[in-house]
Amino acid sequence: MAHGEVLEFEEYVRTRQDALLRSARRLVPDPVDAQDLLQTALARTYRRWEGIADKSLADAYLRRVMINTRTEWWRARKLEEVPTEQLPDASVDDGTEQHADRALLMDILKVLAPKQRSVVVLRHWEQMSTEETAAALGMSAGTVKSTLHRALARLRQELESREIDAGALIRGEREEMGRERCAA
């Protein structure tokens, strides 16, 4: 590649790097993977830079290279599965205990006032931030915090009165929520 072409490519990368990284972030969720994707695409584009007649189309060319590279990575990942002669033992969870825990938790939530229940559900089940919860419920962040504090204290009191291990209940609910999210 001619010296002028190298300088032109370097200038292009300097001026377009942020926009191209944003495009990479839209293609892959992990920021480190997005940087790797962009670097790979830049290296591949550098080799073809002389062949790009209309440099105003360089962004489109580079984005296509990023899409193709991401597709190659995805296909390579799928090929890592290796067929075997014997299938692994399949274990089936009973789920009865988790359903009982969930039913108990739903029953205990009934002791809360509607506003408290809404705050607990949004903060812990929906995993919204304090600010997001406040916006969703039309209250201040401070009100969300104090309401949540009182609601959790009331739930602990109810659990203690029913002589239940709150830690086991919460862990079981989080595991079930994790499985639900994986299934979705």
Side-chain angles (χ1 to χ4, degrees):
M1 185 182 306
H3 183 67
E5 293 281 326
V6 171
L7 293 176
E8 184 182 15
F9 183 76
E10 288 176 355
E11 179 62 25
Y12 168 76
V13 171
R14 243 189 315 280
T15 58
R16 300 297 302 151
Q17 183 174 356
D18 291 338
L20 294 170
L21 184 57
R22 282 192 299 273
S23 294
R25 285 293 312 263
R26 290 184 194 110
L27 292 171
V28 291
D30 186 295
V32 174
D33 289 344
Q35 289 174 348
D36 288 346
L37 178 63
L38 177 58
Q39 289 303 313
T40 302
L42 286 171
R44 290 178 177 182
T45 302
Y46 176 77
R47 287 183 249 145
R48 303 272 188 205
W49 188 251
E50 289 177 336
I52 302 174
D54 187 358
K55 302 295 190 225
S56 66
L57 299 175
D59 277 8
Y61 182 89
L62 230 154
R63 285 188 178 96
R64 173 49 56 191
V65 172
M66 284 192 284
I67 290 168
N68 292 344
T69 302
R70 184 213 47 203
T71 303
E72 288 172 17
W73 290 355
W74 178 77
R75 286 179 180 152
R77 187 191 72 221
K78 284 185 73 174
L79 295 177
E80 291 174 2
E81 296 178 11
V82 180
T84 62
E85 289 290 323
Q86 287 195 339
L87 294 174
D89 290 336
S91 64
V92 178
D93 289 333
D94 181 2
T96 305
E97 187 176 317
Q98 289 177 348
H99 289 292
D101 288 346
R102 185 177 186 90
L104 176 64
L105 186 57
M106 297 307 281
D107 186 49
I108 289 175
L109 281 174
K110 292 177 185 174
V111 303
L112 297 177
K115 183 168 114 178
Q116 288 178 328
R117 192 170 36 247
S118 297
V119 169
V120 169
V121 167
L122 292 178
R123 285 288 288 127
H124 290 284
W125 261 320
E126 298 297 325
Q127 297 181 342
M128 290 178 141
S129 69
T130 301
E131 292 75 22
E132 292 169 331
T133 303
L137 297 176
M139 58 178 69
S140 71
T143 303
V144 168
K145 290 177 186 178
S146 62
T147 302
L148 181 62
H149 178 76
R150 285 191 298 275
L152 293 177
R154 178 68 179 103
L155 288 174
R156 278 187 213 99
Q157 181 184 31
E158 185 67 22
L159 284 170
E160 287 171 6
S161 72
R162 296 183 186 204
E163 298 179 356
I164 294 174
D165 180 8
L169 178 64
I170 292 171
R171 279 191 303 277
E173 185 63 23
R174 283 187 181 154
E175 289 171 3
E176 184 175 335
M177 287 188 330
R179 279 192 290 278
E180 288 174 0
R181 286 194 177 141
C182 289

